[in-house]
Amino acid sequence: MATNYRFAMDQKDIVRVLITTVDGFIRDQLINKEQRAQHREQCAERLAAEDGSCGRETEVRYSDQAVLANLDWGIEALEEAIDTSNMETKLARLDHAEKMLQVCAMLNSNQKTAGVPNFYLSAWAHLNLSYLSKLRNHVQNSVLHVIEMFIVDPFFSRIDFAPELWKQLFLPHMNSIVGWYSEQRHRLVMEVIPDSTDLSFTADLDQFFSESLIYSMRPDQVEKLQKLEQLYGESLDENTRLYAKYFKDCMNSDSTSSKKVIPMLPIAEAPMTPLREVSRSIPDFVKFGPILPKSAGFSPILKSKDGTKESSRMSVTSASSLNLESARWDPQEGIPEEDGDESDYEPNDATVASDHEKESGQKVQLSVTKSRIHTPTIFSPFDSPKTSPKILSPKPDMQGKNEATSVLRLLSTRMTDSAIATSLPASPGMSNEYSISSADSDCELIEAATKGCRKTYSRTGSMNSDNVNSQKLKNSPPNENDEGSQSCVSLPSSKKLTTKSRPPKDFVCPITGQIFCDPVTLETGQTYERKAIQEWLKRGNTTCPITRQPIAATTTLPKTNYVLKRLITSWKEQHPDLAQESSYAETPRYSLNHPSTKENSLPATPQRTNDFLGHRNTDDYINQRNKRFMRAAVSTSPTSVISQAAVETIINGLKPHVSSLCTSENLQECETAVLAIAKLWKDSKADPAVHSYLSELTTVNGFIEILSASLNREVLRTSIYILSELIFSDESVGETLTSVDSDLDCLAVLLKNGLAEAAVLIYQLRPAFAQLSAHDLIPSLVQLILSKNEELDDLQLIMEPKDAALAIIEQILMGGDENSRSINALSVISANGIPALVRCLDRAEGRRSIVSILLCCMQAEKSCRSLIANRIELSPVLELFHAGNDCVRGICVEFLSELVQLNRRTLCNQILQMIKDEGAFSTMHTFLVYLQMAPMEQQPAIATLLLQLDLLVEPWKMSIYREESIEALIEALRRKEFSNSQMMALDALLSLTGRITSSGESYTGAWLLKIAGFDQPYNALMKAEMGTMDEEEKAVTSWQKRVAFVLCNHERGSIFKALEECLKSNSLEMAKSCLVIATWLTNMLSILPDTGVKREARKALLDEFINVLQSSNNLEEKILATLALKSFVNDPAALEALGVYAKCIYKTLRKLKKNSAVANDIMKALMNLSSIDITELWSCAEAVELDSSTNGEVLSLLHVKGRVLSSHSDGTIKVWDAGKKVLRLIQEVREHTKAVTCLYISSSGDKLYSGSLDKTIRVWAIKAEEIHCLQVHDVKEAVYELVANAKVACFISQGTGVKVYEWSGVQKHINFNKYVKSLAMTGPNLYCGCSGYSIQEVNLGKYTSSAFYSGTRKLLGKQVVYSLHIRDGILYAGGSSVDASAGKIFSLPNKAVVGTFVTGLDIQRIAINNDLIFTATKCGVIEVWLKERFTRIASIKMACGGHAKITSLAADMDGGMLFAGSSDGRIQVWSLD
């Protein structure tokens, strides 16, 4: 492309060349996996270095971690797509990578993420998006992404991401800039070279470079050269961006514009025009930007972008700090260069004294050892970027290539353990070895840092708080003599500084005699401990304690001397034992008592947030909590400030009061002594000598006796204050108190009596759980929290009583077993502690304890969730989550997960919306990042919470939050070796259904049973509920559709395979929960849009549902499995698969019919399958045969409510118990004088009607164990057949027509000139089976008759309808066989024939149950017909002797038994399967 630019190119040529060049570059990158890995390692190291330069104290926001994690995940997914050969997997991973990388590509370039400039992250994302587009064969998009990379970040694009591509695309346009830089640099160097007037303008100046030449440069010349190089780099970046935009316009114009608007070709203008033309060849010393090592972070380019310019010269201190700080490059501080053939770096040897050192007349002497000078061009900062620079690490094994891929994720979790580089890149051709000549120079160097650091800090950009990093100092090697190795200026080690007995004198405050904690350097050059010099000045002194020179700033002290502080930190790490002996107090004693530092009191210290290791491990938690009060060394007042005489005066003043406290019998004198002791204690500033004096056992006992005896509130508070102070400084005082149980008893009594300060002392004593629980402190502690704060005059306790109360409650709730936790949590609730705790969330102190307590309360009493949800502000909880460690985040997640399990879906959605609105993107992204890092046991909870937040909107679009959360739940279900994890995932899925009672239990199973027709469990649960409003039911229905849709359609139903494995579990609890979820999902599939996952559900779960149906002994489980199978019935393919199991499940389904209607639906569907042999599904066995011949013929049989009623020709009616499929006679009555020809049951089932030849109709009441006659009606005629209702009785007598008898005694005859043989009644209509094979319909309201059906009359034989039966709107009629048809089946509404009994035998009797029809003939044969298809499936032969015939037939409704009576007085029973 460079050669083509000599001639004019039109737009199409430019686009073609762009596509060819960039496509070739991307293709090479995709082919070379090793180069991609090396590039990723380089970028990751730069990010890690920037993270390390920020300091470990800097906490990265979770939203920033999420962005970095997205970039990491996106690149990983892209690599997986490149490596896989499976096209479906490749496309899926590319989609995932695109979503992840787009997050970084769209970042605001003017901001930072975790200290990393967004333009760097965005450019890196665009580079990977170009690879992704190429894999999709979107060449145009691929080129556009590369161009966008150069627009977003031209600097790192040309030195890190694509240097060779930059040379091809952009360098040919930069000739004027390169020429300008060559000329300007030439002129500057000419000024330095002696006798340069004799040289020509084009002379090769490289041969004149030497170390002496570098040292001879004046400061103004160095500054000019630095400004030139900075301007040169900025010009290259600006014009690179300019041409990249031009290329982008060309691409877009060529591809998208309908009107071809030709973009204007830009011109790269140099900052100033060169005096003459320079050669097109680029000299070796002309480079294209500073080669930043990967460990250099982003400070150089950020400083360049901000335009900051430093005026200080390069000093020994800055040079050494560069080496120590992983080469945080600055254009003002060093000018590194890289040789094109080598990749290791050496530090340059430019060593110039600082301005401050020059002013003070102090210089640091360095002996420079020179070696291997191959090239004099060591001063140019710009090198060809054709090879990626490497980091020279002190320990290369600390970070290998295999670690680079995880650097981003480590960065996002703040695990910055990356390797630390030690120098800036310099010319590889030179090895410079710096060494300090003697120990004296060591001390000189430290003294220079100590005395002159403040001014250097304010004048130089390199001298900041991170100048001396102790970790880097410790890891820096003193010498490396191998090829390409380096040596750096090393700060003096501790062995040079001091003997083994004491620290270096420069590290010790001259006032306190202890190691500095917060050193400040005054304008006099002396350094003091901040607290000591403050006290010196507070006493009215205005001069320096050592030099006695006046101090101008007596009110505002200078900033901390961070350089000295870092040196001390490094020394402490190397000498921890010696440092502890000589240390000044890390936590100044009075910093906790001063009112201005209340927010930093102990309850809110970082240690507080790190001590909770999970409430399930209570003992570990209590042991860790007991360490939350760090023992602070008592700060010694400087001997030059508070004289020993002053201390002795205070002690002498204490003696009479202490004596009075310990020996006086007068309570008032003792109380006065306590107040006086408190005043003197405050005056002593917690002096250790005073503390030691007051810590005597007798004195402590005196204070305890005051607590036991005094009633003065002020004295009690003051005593607690003094004891608290003593315990805080020395824990042994507290051990003295805890050794006697009565001391804790005394404090407990004071607390119960309303003395809030007693809680602080109880907390400091750290009693065991058993001691606390023995005193029933929870009501008093809750009352303390509810009360308003009381001012304690001028006494400032080490912590607020409310914070102490919260901590004690937390300890009580965390201790003991589960039962005791539940009891104690209920005590908090009953004491009305929930509202007070919720209000206290606004305070940062104790917030973690409050969330933990509320969580325990919700777990103990589920119903308090609604109380908390209606009152709580969630922003403090989310703030705690963002700021806390992993343990605290786990508590917050568990709390929020519990909180959203409410019985009102609308309120639950409101809570979720509140969580989501607290920073929308950051909240969900934070949860996503934590999901990836969370412990296994916390993943189901955070996944459920994240999924619910995502489902607040319709789930029609792809969502990474949804995908990751569902994947986490499924992964938990697959962990067979971790049953607890599986149960947590199942519980989480149950909570997702949205059906939760007010007690917090899921009623999804009961709701499914209700759908299946078994509603007893549901009704029992709902009795305690207020009733479900229509709005709530709509919200739940909508919610569960969303949840079921996303769960079922995730990766084409992968959840069903996971549930299949859980259903095979040996745990009954797990299998039951899994069955409920599986049933719920399969049931929801029937109402969700068909997306093709039903097949996956059937393949995974059908066998398991069949297994549950067959093997489970639990009725509810069988019904759930039946409901799940019902969802497969509507799918023809699934129904065919179910038909394979028809024979083995049919019997079970028949038994379930009485409990669940869906069992009948499945049976009907199976019966209608053409592939099913019906005869295989039905069988019967003779159960019993009874001989009642002594009572004559069995004329009628009925089955009602587990009883069988039989009537006999001798006038007897018998009642049989048929409960166990064996008839047992329980009653026999004989009130009719002649044969009882017929029996009839009312529709309500509570009355029996009997007709007899004795011309009476009797009405019977049916009781549990007997029947008894209520009424007797004389109808004047023999009764042969009878039907009745509450108004009339219709019967057949001799002659034609039918008789209608009103219970009032009126009888009517409806004659239609036909002999009636059978009757059936429904509503106001009576149907009569007559001779002539006809059926008459009689309207009992009008007493009119009409022909319902007229059969075909035959010339030969009699055709009669012998039996009529009505069931579910269908009229079954059986009679004489005509043309191989012995009966018809009619639909009553339209009188249409819907079926025919195809048989050659006459039908005398008909009995029907829910599934089958039984027809009996004269010859003792009973034929069995399928009710749904009216097809004959079997026949039964009754063992009738001689010429006996079947006279009666009955069947129970559930289809379990069949009863037949014969003319020879036998009753035969069959068991049906």
Side-chain angles (χ1 to χ4, degrees), residues 1308 1324-1325 1338-1344:
K1308 295 184 179 181
N1325 295 328
V1338 177
N1339 188 321
L1340 295 177
K1342 301 177 180 180
Y1343 297 105
T1344 58

Side-chain angles (χ1 to χ4, degrees), residues 436-449:
I436 307 299
S437 59
S438 67
D440 295 337
S441 60
D442 288 345
C443 296
E444 252 188 281
L445 178 60
I446 290 185
E447 188 173 355

Side-chain angles (χ1 to χ4, degrees), residues 96-115:
H96 181 68
E98 183 177 25
K99 293 181 178 66
M100 295 293 96
L101 294 172
Q102 286 289 1
V103 173
C104 293
M106 294 186 293
L107 292 173
N108 187 340
S109 299
N110 297 324
Q111 297 178 359
K112 292 184 182 181
T113 299

Side-chain angles (χ1 to χ4, degrees), residues 55-62 65 413-414 882-884 889:
R56 295 189 178 183
E57 297 83 0
T58 305
E59 185 69 22
V60 175
R61 295 179 304 169
Y62 250 66
Q65 296 179 20
T413 59
R414 308 298 301 155
H882 288 292
R889 294 185 189 116

